[in-house]
Amino acid sequence: MEYFDSHAHYDDEKFNNDREELIESLKNENVTKIVSAGYCLEGSRKAIQLSEKYSFIYCTVGISPNDIKDNYLEDITEIDKILQEYSTKNDTQEQKQLKENVNKNTTGKIVAVGEIGLDYHYDTDKEAQKIAFKKQIEIANKYNLPIVIHTRDAVSDTLQILKENPVNKKGVFHCCPFNRELVKEALKLGFYISFSGTVTFKNAKNAEEIVDLVPNDKFLIETDSPYLSPEPVRGTRNNSINLKYIVKKIAVFKGMTEEEIARLSYENTERIFNI
């Protein structure tokens, strides 16, 4: 049984003391692929560095709604430049032109634009978040990439933007809230749903119902490391080894074996990220 962690943050400072040792140990725990997710300009660059250092780590680049600063438009422009650089890194001029003509994704280890989206939980600039979300959808379409969505307390606006700004390669609702409307509409739009350690929380309302709503070819699993550690290790620093607890809980909810859940989530993650 192998696990694919579809969303983690191994660039986070909480891993500074043992990052290499931990990452090297993951394969011994059957964690054979990981997506290290960018959330700001610096985090995106660090995620790329991790993907280049480790063959089994992939990455995303983007500016999250919680990282919207005064210069966020400049940061988004830099994200575009990063993707442009990596899509033509070793190309001749003729190859560059051909790729521009066919809008082909050739970014290698960069598998999505994200995490991006809306978060109204805190007192932040909602209009700036909306602009950033839309502009990064444009970038994803430019490079023929899916997106990874962070949404919190912003279901209506998130769905409206996605309906008005179609994403060519769709994407994933990362650490998806247990909201019926959101999940139903997201699935209608062709998006995947990613479940984190929150499915194991004892106070997780609607978790079983939401898991059951998601078809077997549309769910992913993630740790969002170092955050959201699942039961029975809640409150500790999270890492990809804890995927087994998420798989176990989803297996119970779906009435399937843990091996089936691990395999399906692995295949689904490879499919949406074109790995």
Side-chain angles (χ1 to χ4, degrees), residues 37-244:
Y39 53 90
C40 64
L41 189 55
E42 181 183 4
S44 295
R45 287 173 172 153
K46 288 181 178 179
I48 291 172
Q49 290 170 2
L50 285 171
S51 74
E52 292 180 329
K53 183 173 183 177
Y54 299 98
S55 62
F56 64 103
I57 294 183
Y58 301 81
C59 68
T60 71
V61 296
I63 310 299
S64 86
N66 291 320
D67 290 273
I68 300 296
K69 312 298 182 186
D70 290 341
N71 64 335
Y72 74 94
L73 292 176
E74 295 175 16
D75 286 351
I76 290 172
T77 298
E78 286 300 312
I79 293 293
D80 191 354
K81 289 179 180 177
I82 287 171
L83 285 165
Q84 174 64 23
E85 175 189 350
Y86 276 81
S87 69
T88 59
K89 203 170 184 180
N90 301 307
D91 288 352
T92 64
Q93 189 58 43
E94 290 76 13
Q95 288 173 319
K96 291 179 181 179
Q97 187 61 52
L98 177 62
K99 289 172 183 176
E100 289 175 5
N101 291 341
V102 298
N103 193 31
K104 186 178 180 182
N105 170 22
T106 53
T107 51
K109 300 296 287 291
I110 304 174
V111 297
V113 174
E115 57 186 274
I116 63 176
L118 304 175
D119 191 328
Y120 296 168
H121 186 71
Y122 303 103
D123 185 18
T124 53
D125 188 336
K126 294 181 181 179
E127 290 308 309
Q129 287 191 33
K130 292 177 185 178
I131 292 170
F133 192 13
K134 294 174 186 177
K135 284 188 174 295
Q136 290 182 98
I137 288 174
E138 290 177 8
I139 291 173
N141 286 339
K142 178 179 178 180
Y143 295 99
N144 215 26
L145 289 167
I147 63 174
V148 175
I149 303 169
H150 170 113
T151 183
R152 187 180 188 190
D153 297 343
V155 169
S156 179
D157 283 353
T158 299
L159 291 172
Q160 182 177 349
I161 286 175
L162 292 174
K163 290 174 182 178
E164 295 176 352
N165 302 267
V167 185
N168 294 343
K169 289 296 180 179
K170 307 306 178 183
V172 181
F173 275 82
H174 121 80
C175 194
C176 191
F178 301 134
N179 180 289
R180 298 181 193 88
E181 178 193 2
L182 175 64
V183 171
K184 288 180 179 178
E185 292 301 312
L187 290 170
K188 286 180 184 177
L189 290 170
F191 285 81
Y192 288 63
I193 304 299
S194 182
F195 295 115
S196 69
T198 57
V199 298
T200 71
F201 292 178
K202 295 174 183 177
N203 63 345
K205 296 180 180 178
N206 306 325
E208 182 171 3
E209 176 190 357
I210 296 301
V211 169
D212 193 52
L213 275 176
V214 181
N216 290 341
D217 63 348
K218 286 291 185 179
F219 76 89
L220 278 57
I221 57 173
E222 63 169 280
T223 57
D224 200 24
S225 298
Y227 312 104
L228 299 178
S229 292
E231 299 287 356
V233 292
R234 190 174 180 183
T236 65
R237 184 189 68 172
N238 204 4
N239 69 71
S240 300
I241 295 171
N242 294 328
L243 285 170
K244 59 189 176 185

